[in-house]
Amino acid sequence: MAETKVSGRDYILLADIDGDATFKPVACLTTNSFTSTNDTIDATSKCGNSYTPSPVFSQSFDCEGFAIDETGTPSKDSYQQLYAAHAAKTQFAMKMGKASPAAGDITYSGTVFISDFAVTADDADDVKFTATFVVTTPPLTQTEQA
């Protein structure tokens, strides 16, 4: 069986903030990640160790990128659009995977809202932003490209 590594540069966040079924890359990211947490109930007693899955299940995407401004028809979701969605508490569709998936590639998708948003403007550096996208109803859908 052959194996192929997935390049982090090709694995991006895509969002449909305006709900028109067109997914655009999220700004110019330097990092993005997906976290999935199933809390644990500790039922350990003098009768022995026992753990069960909690009903609390949370998932989120995190990212950091360069703040970009676009003129004309946007090809990416800029940090201004992300902040507007955050301030309006907008829920929207998001995907993480390859921009152009090929057979066997995995994509995670679902509905999110932006829980945390920050802009950093360090001296002698380009302006950067960070955002956390919380999945409204976990779990995300995991799709393998046919």
Side-chain angles (χ1 to χ4, degrees):
M1 180 173 173
E3 68 178 50
T4 305
K5 291 184 173 52
V6 178
S7 170
R9 178 162 281 198
D10 296 335
Y11 217 68
I12 63 174
L13 288 175
L14 299 141
D16 180 16
I17 293 175
D18 52 11
D20 65 357
T22 302
F23 285 85
K24 293 184 285 216
V26 174
C28 291
L29 298 181
T30 55
T31 65
N32 54 284
S33 62
F34 164 57
T35 302
S36 183
T37 304
N38 188 359
D39 289 348
T40 304
I41 296 173
D42 182 350
T44 300
S45 69
K46 292 180 181 182
C47 295
N49 294 339
S50 178
Y51 299 93
T52 58
S54 164
V56 178
F57 187 67
S58 59
Q59 294 182 311
S60 63
F61 296 109
D62 291 295
C63 69
E64 179 178 340
F66 289 104
I68 59 167
D69 294 318
E70 286 193 295
T71 58
T73 304
S75 62
K76 296 179 181 74
D77 285 325
S78 68
Y79 76 117
Q80 295 101 319
Q81 291 164 303
L82 295 173
Y83 176 75
H86 171 63
K89 301 178 183 175
T90 304
Q91 294 183 21
F92 54 92
M94 176 164 265
K95 298 192 265 189
M96 185 165 122
K98 286 187 174 180
S100 301
D105 288 339
I106 300 296
T107 301
Y108 298 95
S109 60
T111 302
V112 300
F113 65 93
I114 301 171
S115 66
D116 297 289
F117 182 84
V119 175
T120 306
D122 292 331
D123 185 33
D125 197 1
D126 290 332
V127 175
K128 294 179 183 167
F129 74 93
T130 59
T132 299
F133 304 87
V134 174
V135 178
T136 59
T137 309
L140 291 169
T141 301
Q142 178 181 267
T143 307
E144 182 175 349
Q145 184 70 29

